[in-house]
């Protein structure tokens, strides 16, 4: 149902999810294609498929559980190197080569939704600070490529989260605290726009407002949609036309990693619902499965937590 209500607060920034929100793509199909293409790329260069697959699963799981003072990139490679020979090759160079040469082909059949680019441009023209708060499990170059698939100019965003500049992931509240610290804003200044009732709406616990995009809705917890603004991307684009010009966005936005003490201060200043680390970890694991085919999003809350992956020759 199209949202007719006017905003109940004055926003200074809009945080956007990417996959299934700005980018009209089924996350399961994307991750399946991504893992298959990446695995094939590495196998063609002599990498053992079993070890590499185990390393990828271990790295993804490490990022999902990670919530601390090192970056997601560091967390990923620490776990990845438990499963592969660290000295076998320049792994970073191999990943970079994949993203520079073959990753873009995954988006060949993506049809961007013009309403997404329209909404982003409208908000930028009105002076809102825009932050791309996509799940930071990919390097920056891969995120920018996916924005290109969506037909959206990365330059419109003051900050784009990636595994290089983030120290936790959705739905950890510290992920949102990190981005609030990076912008110098309070949760009450922010509208979070996403399609996942676990990963994206956890921002509400940091005091933000939210708009749920329903075109590729992921709802593993049977969320009461009537309690939050929601609608299609076309409806959202029309809704933002009615927003006033921003009276003043963020004065400065940090694009790189934010120090953990600043994250902790932002968390303490904004959190409105306190969750234990165990609850947050269960929520993170409950949002998706890590399998031999990659990451698949959960639509229902009944699936059990995923098991810790094992590595060849490490059992």
């Amino acid at each position: 149902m199209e949202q007719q209500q006017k905003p109940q607060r004055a926003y200074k920034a809009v945080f956007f999810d990417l996959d299934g929100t700005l980018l009209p793509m089924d996350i399961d199909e994307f991750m399946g294609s991504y893992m298959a293409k990446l695995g094939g790329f590495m196998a063609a260069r002599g990498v053992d498929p079993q070890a590499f697959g185990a390393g990828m699963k271990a790295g993804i799981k490490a990022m999902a559980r990670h919530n601390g003072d090192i970056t997601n990139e560091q967390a990923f490679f620490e776990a990845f190197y438990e499963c592969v020979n660290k000295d076998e090759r320049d792994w970073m160079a191999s990943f970079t080569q994949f993203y520079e040469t073959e990753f873009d082909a995954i988006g060949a059949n993506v049809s961007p939704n013009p309403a997404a680019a329209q909404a982003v441009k409208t908000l930028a023209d009105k002076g809102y600070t825009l932050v791309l708060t996509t799940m930071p499990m990919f390097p920056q170059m891969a995120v920018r490529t996916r924005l290109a698939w969506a037909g959206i100019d990365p330059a419109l965003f003051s900050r784009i989260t990636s595994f290089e500049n983030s120290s936790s992931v959705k739905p950890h509240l510290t992920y949102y605290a990190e981005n609030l610290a990076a912008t110098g804003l309070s949760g009450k200044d922010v509208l979070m726009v996403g399609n996942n009732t676990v990963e994206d709406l956890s921002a509400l616990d940091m005091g933000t407002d939210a708009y749920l995009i329903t075109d590729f809705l992921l709802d593993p917890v049977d969320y009461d949609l009537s309690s939050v603004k929601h609608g299609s991307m076309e409806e959202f684009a029309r809704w933002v036309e009615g927003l006033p010009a921003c009276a003043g966005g963020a004065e400065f936005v940090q694009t790189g990693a934010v120090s953990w003490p600043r994250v902790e201060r932002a968390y303490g200043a904004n959190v409105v619902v306190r969750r234990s680390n165990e609850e947050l970890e269960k929520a993170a694991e409950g949002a998706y499965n890590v399998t031999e085919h990659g990451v698949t999003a959960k639509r229902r809350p009944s699936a059990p937590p995923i098991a810790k992956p094992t590595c060849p020759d490490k059992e």
Side-chain angles (χ1 to χ4, degrees):
M1 178 182 296
E2 187 163 353
Q3 302 300 300
Q4 301 296 331
Q5 69 267 40
K6 294 183 178 180
Q8 298 181 6
R9 65 174 88 178
Y11 309 121
K12 294 183 179 180
V14 181
F15 288 3
F16 275 103
D17 174 56
L18 180 56
D19 299 306
T21 301
L22 294 176
L23 181 61
M25 174 183 285
D26 183 282
I27 188 63
D28 293 356
E29 294 179 7
F30 164 64
M31 287 305 303
S33 297
Y34 164 68
M35 292 296 285
K37 199 164 189 67
L38 176 59
F41 176 88
M42 292 295 183
R45 286 153 180 79
V47 176
D48 177 66
Q50 183 181 6
F52 181 75
M56 287 296 296
K57 285 190 289 182
I60 292 169
K61 184 68 175 289
M63 289 190 290
R65 285 181 165 175
H66 173 57
N67 188 33
D69 59 358
I70 63 173
T71 65
N72 295 341
E73 179 181 17
Q74 292 171 293
F76 172 84
F77 278 108
E78 284 182 3
F80 180 74
Y81 290 143
E82 290 294 317
C83 300
V84 303
N85 181 352
K86 181 178 181 180
D87 300 321
E88 174 186 339
R89 65 187 60 243
D90 185 338
W91 287 101
M92 183 63 74
S94 294
F95 278 107
T96 298
Q97 184 182 12
F98 169 75
Y99 288 117
E100 288 179 343
T101 62
E102 297 198 17
F103 181 72
D104 190 40
I106 299 173
N109 296 321
V110 174
S111 298
N113 185 344
Q118 175 190 338
V120 171
K121 184 65 163 54
T122 297
L123 290 164
D125 288 345
K126 291 188 176 189
Y128 292 91
T129 296
L130 304 183
V131 178
L132 189 70
T133 48
T134 182
M135 180 68 90
M137 290 186 174
F138 284 88
Q140 184 85 190
M141 68 176 72
V143 180
R144 289 176 177 272
T145 297
R146 283 153 54 217
L147 270 173
W149 297 345
I152 296 173
D153 182 1
L156 296 176
F157 294 93
S158 298
R159 176 178 170 85
I160 296 175
T161 62
S162 63
F163 81 169
E164 296 100 336
N165 68 2
S166 300
S167 298
S168 59
V169 301
K170 305 175 188 181
H172 290 296
L173 303 189
T174 45
Y175 170 75
Y176 292 103
E178 188 168 36
N179 286 288
L180 291 176
T183 59
L185 298 175
S186 299
K188 61 182 177 57
D189 298 324
V190 173
L191 173 70
M192 176 66 207
V193 182
N195 72 311
N196 190 308
T197 59
V198 172
E199 294 179 0
D200 299 319
L201 294 191
S202 63
L204 294 170
D205 292 351
M206 292 300 294
T208 77
D209 198 4
Y211 194 112
L212 191 68
I213 303 298
T214 55
D215 299 319
F216 290 84
L217 179 66
L218 292 177
D219 183 18
V221 292
D222 294 326
Y223 197 86
D224 178 9
L225 298 187
S226 67
S227 67
V228 65
K229 288 184 279 294
H230 64 279
S232 68
M233 180 53 73
E234 287 78 8
E235 290 169 340
F236 174 72
R238 291 193 291 270
W239 183 79
V240 300
E241 290 286 351
L243 290 178
C246 181
E251 294 182 2
F252 171 79
V253 179
Q254 185 168 338
T255 59
V258 179
S259 69
W260 195 247
R262 287 183 59 206
V263 174
E264 292 179 316
R265 288 195 294 271
Y267 174 86
N270 290 282
V271 66
V272 293
V273 176
R274 295 188 179 274
R275 303 191 198 184
S276 68
N277 288 334
E278 181 180 11
E279 289 174 316
L280 289 169
E281 183 172 306
K282 286 182 178 179
E285 293 184 342
Y288 49 82
N289 286 309
V290 180
T291 73
E292 64 272 18
H293 304 297
V295 180
T296 57
K298 290 182 180 177
R299 270 90 170 164
R300 294 290 178 265
S302 58
I306 54 181
K308 182 178 180 179
T310 57
C311 303
D313 302 324
K314 298 288 184 178
E315 297 179 345

